[in-house]
Amino acid sequence: MLFRSNSKTYGTDENGTIFEHEIGLDADGLAMPWFIVTAPMNIDGGKSLMDVQGYIPNFQRQVGDIELTISTYDLPQMTTPTETTTDTITETTGIVDLNISGRQTAIRLDGFQVGGDFRLGVSDIEISPAGTRRGGP
């Protein structure tokens, strides 16, 4: 259960212990799992396949490893990815080399470390067109 008081947010666990939210980086000294996921993106309105060749992270104050998962889909209504690849981004990673293709691609970032923290800037993905849909221009 969550509630707010004096612009602070509190929550309780199943035992009734009260925790103040949005303070610190951990869950009362334990690692707090997190993730960020994008909606699937395409090029050329989804008419073209794309080769995803790289991911260039842009993190500031990164503490701990971040797991990168790239998934591709051939059709918008697909719920299961056509291809998926996973890699680890460390504080010194410059570029993540990839070799995955599809009409749409989605990015997921995950972390689960005590003291883990980062500020996400504008990351880039390296892509190139790979083909067109049947009946496409």
Side-chain angles (χ1 to χ4, degrees):
M1 181 171 122
L2 287 174
F3 59 96
R4 292 185 64 81
S5 173
N6 297 329
S7 52
K8 292 183 180 182
T9 303
Y10 299 92
T12 61
D13 66 10
E14 63 276 358
N15 299 318
T17 304
I18 298 173
F19 295 95
E20 185 176 357
H21 283 249
E22 310 304 326
I23 300 296
L25 304 172
D26 303 318
D28 199 27
L30 302 174
M32 184 169 18
W34 60 267
F35 72 91
I36 299 171
V37 64
T38 68
M41 304 167 278
N42 61 48
I43 59 173
D44 195 23
K47 295 176 189 168
S48 297
L49 288 167
M50 66 178 116
D51 289 330
V52 182
Q53 298 148 338
Y55 177 82
I56 304 168
N58 182 0
F59 301 118
Q60 296 172 5
R61 75 169 192 261
Q62 180 181 347
V63 176
D65 293 347
I66 296 174
E67 180 135 325
L68 166 70
T69 304
I70 304 279
S71 299
T72 60
Y73 305 85
D74 281 337
L75 298 170
Q77 63 271 28
M78 291 179 73
T79 55
T80 303
T82 305
E83 290 185 72
T84 299
T85 188
T86 303
D87 210 327
T88 300
I89 300 171
T90 68
E91 289 128 2
T92 60
T93 300
I95 186 168
V96 179
D97 290 319
L98 304 166
N99 184 14
I100 191 168
S101 63
R103 291 191 197 286
Q104 296 183 315
T105 187
I107 301 168
R108 180 180 169 118
L109 302 169
D110 288 272
F112 185 72
Q113 290 189 345
V114 173
D117 187 30
F118 71 96
R119 178 179 179 271
L120 179 62
V122 178
S123 299
D124 290 317
I125 56 173
E126 294 180 328
I127 60 170
S128 62
T132 58
R133 185 184 302 257
R134 292 184 302 215

